[in-house]
Amino acid sequence: MSLFGKKKQKPSQNAYAVVTGAGSGIGRSFALELARRGGMVVCADINLAAAEETVALMAQAGAKGFAVQCDVGDKAQVQQLADQAEVLMQHLPTLVINNAGVGLGGKFDELTLDDWQWCMHVNLWGVIHGCHYFVPKFKQLGYGAIINVASAASYTAAPEMTAYNVTKAGVRALSETLSAELAKFDIKVNVLCPTLVPTNIIKNGRIPGRYSKLADHALMNYAMTTSDDVARLTLNRLDSNALYTIPQIDAKLFWLMKRASPSLYAKFLGTGYRLFK
Ligand SMILES: NC(=O)c1ccc[n+]([C@@H]2O[C@H](COP(=O)([O-])OP(=O)(O)OC[C@H]3O[C@@H](n4cnc5c(N)ncnc54)[C@H](O)[C@@H]3O)[C@@H](O)[C@H]2O)c1
């Protein structure tokens, strides 16, 4: 049994980790932060060249990484990723970060069912697949850790983001349930729920033209925290056995308002939307 299993080592230290969506943004920051903490990381992404760039950045910092092409929405590819990670690192994985995700916006009746399926495929099925194929490995090892990247959208219910909100609420519910179910196996779970983080999510997403420039501008210029800050904080929260990482003040404020009075919050949201549209 490892030091982490004997509770002498924190899950973010010297991890054998797999990060999905590691070719950009928050996923890349997770990979680099894990490297700083002495870890080895399998960087999985649908975009292999982007994952390879992350591995090159890790190498510059003297850390070992592996790039693997994987579409997280495809169960066979995620199963293969889990098996391949064990072979590449010559160790069972100790941490999986289910981070890959895509942005989707637009009025409910503008979204096509294809849009819904695309968003569910990556954001929700991607995380389900990651948990499904890595939990047995952690049970085999006797310990492990999962970080699922949800969003403040999992509880803010912001209009014109229905599909995205639904996927992220699902990721939060999955994480909350697994946290209770897996505790007795020494498998820790953390769910990350940020508001804006400057990354490529708008550029890579399906956002209606009328918003995309504005949204990207807001993301890049008004975000209160960087992806590096978010990765550091989340790994620290995981180490302290916390279930939730809600990084920014606005994310915390919405979380409190929603929990204090869900009905009042819904009225506030509806009124705000009517006034500003
Ligand atoms: N940026 C934000 O403001 C923000 C806020 C809340 C939550 N999030 C969440 O953070 C996570 C990371 O997003 P980001 O902001 O770093 O965006 P990003 O676009 O910069 O990075 C996402 C990465 O995921 C990869 N990816 C996309 N589809 C994939 C698939 N099917 N299989 C594997 N990889 C795939 C992309 O190639 C990209 O490298 C997402 O789950 C997103 O929903 C982001």
Side-chain angles (χ1 to χ4, degrees), residues 155-236:
Y155 53 85
T156 50
E160 301 198 25
M161 288 177 60
T162 41
Y164 187 80
N165 294 347
V166 166
T167 62
K168 295 302 186 178
V171 170
R172 188 159 58 80
L174 173 68
S175 310
E176 289 165 340
T177 312
L178 285 181
S179 165
E181 195 172 317
L182 298 177
K184 70 175 177 182
F185 301 101
D186 198 13
I187 301 172
K188 301 180 194 318
V189 180
N190 186 275
V191 58
L192 169 60
C193 301
T195 46
L196 298 184
V197 185
T199 68
N200 293 314
I201 193 162
I202 302 293
K203 290 186 197 89
N204 289 338
R206 294 185 188 174
I207 312 292
R210 63 185 184 278
Y211 298 131
S212 57
K213 267 200 179 147
L214 189 69
D216 195 46
H217 182 77
L219 201 71
M220 291 309 188
N221 295 289
Y222 301 113
M224 288 189 252
T225 187
T226 66
S227 57
D228 289 348
D229 294 335
V230 167
R232 254 192 315 272
L233 175 70
T234 309
L235 291 170
N236 292 344

Side-chain angles (χ1 to χ4, degrees), residues 40-263:
M40 199 183 276
V41 187
V42 173
C43 296
D45 205 290
I46 198 165
N47 179 344
L48 181 60
E52 284 170 345
E53 269 177 36
T54 303
V55 169
L57 291 171
M58 288 178 65
Q60 280 171 23
K64 192 155 186 175
F66 305 93
V68 172
Q69 186 166 33
C70 175
D71 174 354
V72 294
D74 181 324
K75 65 182 177 195
Q77 291 187 36
V78 182
Q79 182 173 27
Q80 199 185 340
L81 171 68
D83 292 339
Q84 203 179 345
E86 190 180 332
V87 174
L88 288 170
M89 297 192 285
Q90 298 181 347
H91 194 286
L92 280 160
T94 61
L95 168 66
V96 64
I97 303 188
N98 293 306
N99 161 79
V102 289
L104 173 62
K107 291 191 174 77
F108 177 70
D109 45 5
E110 281 174 342
L111 297 181
T112 65
L113 289 178
D114 175 65
D115 290 330
W116 272 88
Q117 271 160 6
W118 172 69
C119 194
M120 301 278 277
H121 170 89
V122 186
N123 293 8
L124 185 54
W125 277 107
V127 179
I128 295 170
H129 292 153
C131 294
H132 181 81
Y133 288 114
F134 281 87
V135 165
K137 305 244 176 233
F138 298 151
K139 284 191 174 173
Q140 191 184 332
L141 194 61
Y143 65 95
I146 300 169
I147 292 174
N148 289 333
V149 179
S151 166
S154 69
Y155 53 85
T156 50
E160 301 198 25
M161 288 177 60
T162 41
Y164 187 80
N165 294 347
V166 166
T167 62
K168 295 302 186 178
V171 170
R172 188 159 58 80
L174 173 68
S175 310
E176 289 165 340
T177 312
L178 285 181
S179 165
E181 195 172 317
L182 298 177
K184 70 175 177 182
F185 301 101
D186 198 13
I187 301 172
K188 301 180 194 318
V189 180
N190 186 275
V191 58
L192 169 60
C193 301
T195 46
L196 298 184
V197 185
T199 68
N200 293 314
I201 193 162
I202 302 293
K203 290 186 197 89
N204 289 338
R206 294 185 188 174
I207 312 292
R210 63 185 184 278
Y211 298 131
S212 57
K213 267 200 179 147
L214 189 69
D216 195 46
H217 182 77
L219 201 71
M220 291 309 188
N221 295 289
Y222 301 113
M224 288 189 252
T225 187
T226 66
S227 57
D228 289 348
D229 294 335
V230 167
R232 254 192 315 272
L233 175 70
T234 309
L235 291 170
N236 292 344
R237 298 274 300 159
L238 175 73
D239 285 350
S240 61
N241 216 1
L243 168 58
Y244 300 104
T245 304
I246 300 182
Q248 305 99 331
I249 290 177
D250 54 350
K252 287 186 173 70
L253 194 66
F254 283 124
W255 177 238
L256 290 175
M257 283 163 64
K258 179 76 182 277
R259 291 200 311 166
S261 178
S263 307

